[in-house]
Amino acid sequence: MQRLPYEVKIKRAELRIKEFYKKVVYDMGKHVHISVGGLDSLTLLYFIRSLGYDAEEIPAIGVTCLEHQSIRRIHKKAGVIPVKPFMYKHQVLRELGFPVISKAKAHKIELLQTKDSEKQTFIHAIMTGDMGEQGKFQHSDKIKLPDKWLELFGGNYQEHRPDLCCRCAPFKVSADCCKYMKELPCDTWAKEHDSYPFLGLMASEGGQREFALMKNGCNYYGKNTIRSAPFAPFMRQDVLQLALDLKVPIPEAYGTIERKPDGTLYTTRAQRTGCDICGFGIHLEKRPHRFDRLREENEKAWHFWMYEVCQDPETGEHYGWGRVLDYIGVEWEDRYIDWERRQMSIEDYLGNM
């Protein structure tokens, strides 16, 4: 389905939306809503509105306060109903830990940071890939954490990997930030309003989303979960093209949508956005990365998140994302300068003299 033509994907998405609306509203007697965050779900919102569904039929909700200020402005104009998070950003970092590497890997690291855990079989699998009796003594590289992360986070269970020099990180890691800031608040709103969501998820994003969408399809009616993801087969190019076709207002965090010489669409600034404490995937980003952009936009906020948000209970020293990025080998402290862009600006200036 990901290889289908753009026009076919759009028509299929329209059919999935209408099917889900009919099933939930008319057959089940319930309500539906759109869960809105960044550009993908904003595009879904404008797409559903283009099909004739207004805010009374399908309201839009979102934990707006977590988004970039440019996204918050569009949420307000689009009539997105703000939902309050269960925990705020600073509480997550102080009480739960830092969301780093990826959600799946952070879950494993969080377990490794728990001393004397009862889940020794799973910990052995994370450290070695060996599944044990429950896994029929098979080996799984999917469960095993890569050695480079074991060396940084596996210190509590060094005995499982005596061949490695494992350390314990000087900060906590957690994958539960979205759970308390977005997922549970939106789920609670949905239960209170007897409503089921349209989500702007795509399988092409990879990870757990890819697995769930490929397994359950666009519209899913499960025992505990009912949801619609009409963009599930979309690629990034499809969403960007649809945003252009619908004239979706592009938040400043993304820059603008432009086209490369080969026809590929891209956003000139962030390709993805999230709240400014999220570190998932930061080790894969080229500079200027998300924290560089935060520094450009708000130096005071950047300084707080990088240096001050947490306090070490043993030393009393304040620290933040700076300690985390140093530990995983991501440059951040020196102010990033895009010399190519700077040179172009000088040339443009001289050309106008």
Side-chain angles (χ1 to χ4, degrees):
M1 282 193 247
Q2 290 177 330
R3 292 193 292 267
L4 289 171
Y6 168 73
E7 293 77 13
V8 176
K9 291 181 183 177
I10 297 300
K11 189 61 180 177
R12 286 179 62 89
E14 179 181 342
L15 291 173
R16 298 293 86 78
I17 290 167
K18 292 179 178 179
E19 289 171 358
F20 189 76
Y21 183 85
K22 179 179 181 299
K23 174 75 173 179
V24 173
V25 176
Y26 292 108
D27 297 347
M28 298 171 58
K30 307 293 184 180
H31 303 284
V32 293
H33 64 277
I34 311 164
S35 186
V36 182
L39 182 57
D40 296 350
S41 52
L42 275 171
T43 303
L44 176 61
L45 168 60
Y46 278 80
F47 182 57
I48 289 176
R49 292 287 181 262
S50 75
L51 301 178
Y53 298 103
D54 60 25
E56 289 189 8
E57 294 173 295
I58 307 181
I61 71 165
V63 189
T64 300
C65 65
L66 299 179
E67 303 292 345
H68 186 273
Q69 57 183 352
S70 62
I71 297 175
R72 294 201 297 266
R73 287 194 290 268
I74 294 176
H75 278 201
K76 186 175 182 179
K77 290 181 180 179
V80 175
I81 300 169
V83 176
K84 186 177 179 180
F86 286 176
M87 293 182 73
Y88 289 100
K89 303 174 187 179
H90 65 281
Q91 290 177 294
V92 166
L93 297 186
R94 292 171 185 172
E95 299 176 24
L96 301 180
F98 288 80
V100 69
I101 315 303
S102 72
K103 184 169 287 190
K105 288 181 174 62
H107 274 302
K108 296 173 183 177
I109 292 170
E110 187 175 4
L111 186 58
L112 293 180
Q113 290 185 326
T114 304
K115 292 183 179 180
D116 303 319
S117 172
E118 296 177 354
K119 300 181 179 180
Q120 289 298 315
T121 301
F122 188 41
I123 286 174
H124 184 74
I126 293 173
M127 296 289 290
T128 67
D130 297 331
M131 304 282 284
E133 184 177 355
Q134 292 180 342
K136 299 180 180 180
F137 299 101
Q138 295 180 353
H139 181 85
S140 173
D141 286 331
K142 289 185 177 181
I143 291 181
K144 177 185 174 295
L145 202 62
D147 285 355
K148 66 176 181 178
W149 303 126
L150 290 176
E151 291 178 353
L152 293 178
F153 299 103
N156 286 326
Y157 297 96
Q158 172 76 58
E159 65 271 17
H160 292 282
R161 289 297 303 274
D163 58 311
L164 293 178
C165 181
C166 299
R167 293 181 278 164
C168 293
F171 54 86
K172 293 190 297 183
V173 172
S174 176
D176 289 335
C177 47
C178 288
K179 176 180 177 181
Y180 292 102
M181 291 198 297
K182 288 187 176 183
E183 293 169 8
L184 288 178
C186 289
D187 288 346
T188 300
W189 186 96
K191 289 178 181 178
E192 290 174 351
H193 292 80
D194 209 12
S195 184
Y196 297 110
F198 286 101
L199 305 172
L201 305 178
M202 299 184 292
S204 58
E205 295 175 290
Q208 295 174 330
R209 291 179 178 180
E210 179 181 15
F211 176 79
L213 291 171
M214 291 183 70
K215 178 182 178 182
N216 299 318
C218 295
N219 292 349
Y220 178 62
Y221 309 94
K223 182 178 180 180
N224 299 314
T225 302
I226 296 175
R227 58 100 183 110
S228 176
F231 288 175
F234 279 35
M235 307 300 286
R236 182 66 173 163
Q237 292 297 296
D238 299 317
V239 169
L240 294 180
Q241 184 61 59
L242 183 57
L244 289 176
D245 292 345
L246 295 174
K247 295 181 173 56
V248 175
I250 309 301
E252 295 168 11
Y254 294 91
T256 58
I257 299 176
E258 304 293 343
R259 196 178 299 274
K260 295 180 180 178
D262 65 358
T264 303
L265 294 170
Y266 69 101
T267 50
T268 56
R269 295 195 71 202
Q271 302 304 303
R272 300 284 180 191
T273 62
C275 65
D276 44 17
I277 67 160
C278 184
F280 290 145
I282 184 64
H283 61 294
L284 302 175
E285 290 186 14
K286 295 181 179 179
R287 301 191 74 180
H289 52 55
R290 65 193 74 172
F291 292 112
D292 291 324
R293 291 193 293 271
L294 174 62
R295 188 176 193 176
E296 289 179 5
E297 294 170 359
N298 191 330
E299 180 94 19
K300 186 176 180 180
W302 175 87
H303 191 277
F304 174 76
W305 293 118
M306 303 308 284
Y307 291 103
E308 299 179 356
V309 63
C310 295
Q311 186 173 18
D312 193 308
E314 296 182 2
T315 65
E317 176 188 2
H318 285 272
Y319 69 95
W321 268 108
R323 175 184 287 190
V324 179
L325 298 183
D326 282 339
Y327 193 75
I328 65 174
V330 175
E331 295 182 356
W332 65 275
E333 196 162 13
D334 59 307
R335 184 182 291 275
Y336 179 81
I337 299 176
D338 188 341
W339 288 109
E340 181 178 351
R341 189 170 156 194
R342 176 70 61 86
Q343 184 65 32
M344 290 175 63
S345 299
I346 293 172
E347 290 175 355
D348 291 341
Y349 172 75
L350 294 174
N352 290 327
M353 290 183 64

